[in-house]
Amino acid sequence: MPLAARWTPLPPLPSELIRSSHALAVVDRTAWIFGGELKPRTPLGANLIAISLKDGHSRTLPPSSSTPWPAPRVGASLIALGTSLYLWGGRGGKSMAPFSPEEDLWKFDTEKESWEQLETEGERPEQRSFHAMAAHGNILYLHAGCPSSGRLETIHSLDLTHSPLTWTTCASAPGPARGGTALTSLPSSPLLARFGGFAGYELGGLDIFDTELGQWSTVDADVDGGGPGKRSVHMLIGLDGSLEWAGKKVVAVMALGEREGAPAELGHDGAGFVRASICIGRPSRSVC
């Protein structure tokens, strides 16, 4: 029997929330949204929006002229770790130009509701957009994405407990290089999981990065041809294994994304061919 999932709509939200290519992270039942676009490659303002997942109430935090605040951007990543959010990357307009290293990493304290720009050193990742970022313990992992031209398959780590904050280059992932992939931590293990992405065409396939060994491996996640379809800019969430299905632990859930069929020659301007399935991952199989 399939494991069921149900979407629960929130009350009507402000029209300013209509957007794509934004960054979203959740801290203590509050979803935080930053950046995004309505017109391709035209970033919206730099407001930070908080949405209560209990009652749907939303509020907007506008940029402050008296404190540091990140610039508007498209295709950035936002990760929740404890009560803080970490923002990295993105681009600021049609030129596809990524932000400079000086726009490296931002931290938002959800209790004080203030931004802080963090200084980093070491093997800094090449600036990019439409990359993936995951937190494993107190370490951030940054992977793939689109620099000024082309795509990347690199992965970098940043230990947030060490001072100074220092980037380290890890072993590159199996190709092809891609943007719009999804990367997630699999709790209670040393593993990160990656699925899909876009390399001029939609990608499938499940790859695993062992953070202790520093090695990648590829997993057969198909079930007689009925496994998750190829996709990009989708959701992939690792679970702690407390949810079981047919006697096996569920380790990840994947949903939505772009599927094959969008005009590849239009690139980001041609996005919009959506995959609406929800996929459930277990150690021995995955289904949609």
Side-chain angles (χ1 to χ4, degrees):
M1 177 181 294
L3 184 67
R6 182 177 65 183
W7 292 101
T8 301
L10 294 172
L13 296 170
S15 59
E16 70 169 319
L17 278 173
I18 299 174
R19 63 187 66 200
S20 66
S21 306
H22 51 284
L24 181 149
V26 177
V27 174
D28 192 26
R29 300 286 291 170
T30 296
W32 297 87
I33 295 176
F34 186 83
E37 61 190 347
L38 284 174
K39 297 179 180 179
R41 302 174 184 168
T42 303
L44 295 170
N47 290 341
L48 182 65
I49 302 171
I51 305 172
S52 169
L53 300 181
K54 298 176 182 179
D55 56 18
H57 174 74
S58 65
R59 57 194 179 91
T60 299
L61 282 67
S64 170
S65 59
S66 59
T67 59
W69 200 278
R73 61 193 67 201
V74 172
S77 55
L78 189 67
I79 288 291
L81 190 56
T83 59
S84 296
L85 306 175
Y86 292 87
L87 175 74
W88 192 92
R91 61 177 181 232
K94 280 279 189 180
S95 67
M96 294 284 287
F99 289 99
S100 67
E102 287 69 32
E103 282 279 303
D104 197 4
L105 183 68
W106 290 83
K107 177 182 177 180
F108 182 78
D109 187 319
T110 61
E111 295 178 337
K112 298 179 180 177
E113 296 194 347
S114 62
W115 284 104
E116 174 189 3
Q117 192 170 8
L118 303 180
E119 294 185 1
T120 66
E121 55 185 52
E123 300 167 331
R124 278 182 170 178
E126 184 176 355
Q127 297 293 309
R128 67 195 76 178
S129 59
F130 294 99
H131 47 284
M133 194 160 73
H136 193 80
N138 290 310
I139 300 178
L140 294 182
Y141 288 90
L142 175 65
H143 173 54
C146 305
S148 295
S149 62
R151 300 177 181 90
L152 297 167
E153 56 194 16
T154 54
I155 182 168
H156 293 74
S157 66
L158 183 72
D159 190 335
L160 298 172
T161 64
H162 287 180
S163 181
L165 297 176
T166 304
W167 287 102
T168 300
T169 302
C170 306
S172 292
R178 64 195 69 193
T181 190
L183 184 74
T184 190
S185 171
L186 300 181
S188 303
S189 82
L191 306 179
L192 304 177
R194 177 188 78 169
F195 189 94
F198 186 78
Y201 51 93
E202 301 295 339
L203 299 168
L206 177 66
D207 299 300
I208 301 295
F209 181 68
D210 189 314
T211 61
E212 293 181 350
L213 299 177
Q215 297 176 351
W216 287 90
S217 59
T218 298
V219 178
D220 181 5
D222 204 356
V223 185
D224 300 326
K230 298 176 181 179
R231 67 190 71 201
S232 62
V233 289
H234 48 296
M235 178 199 80
L236 179 63
I237 302 295
L239 304 180
D240 61 8
S242 59
L243 178 65
E244 291 194 359
W245 172 31
K248 292 186 179 293
K249 294 180 179 179
V250 177
V251 297
V253 174
M254 183 168 66
L256 306 175
E258 290 276 341
R259 61 190 175 100
E260 292 180 294
E265 68 277 7
L266 295 181
H268 186 61
D269 288 327
F273 205 38
V274 177
R275 182 176 290 279
S277 57
I278 297 177
C279 304
I280 312 296
R282 302 189 299 168
S284 62
R285 63 182 296 195
S286 61
V287 302
C288 293

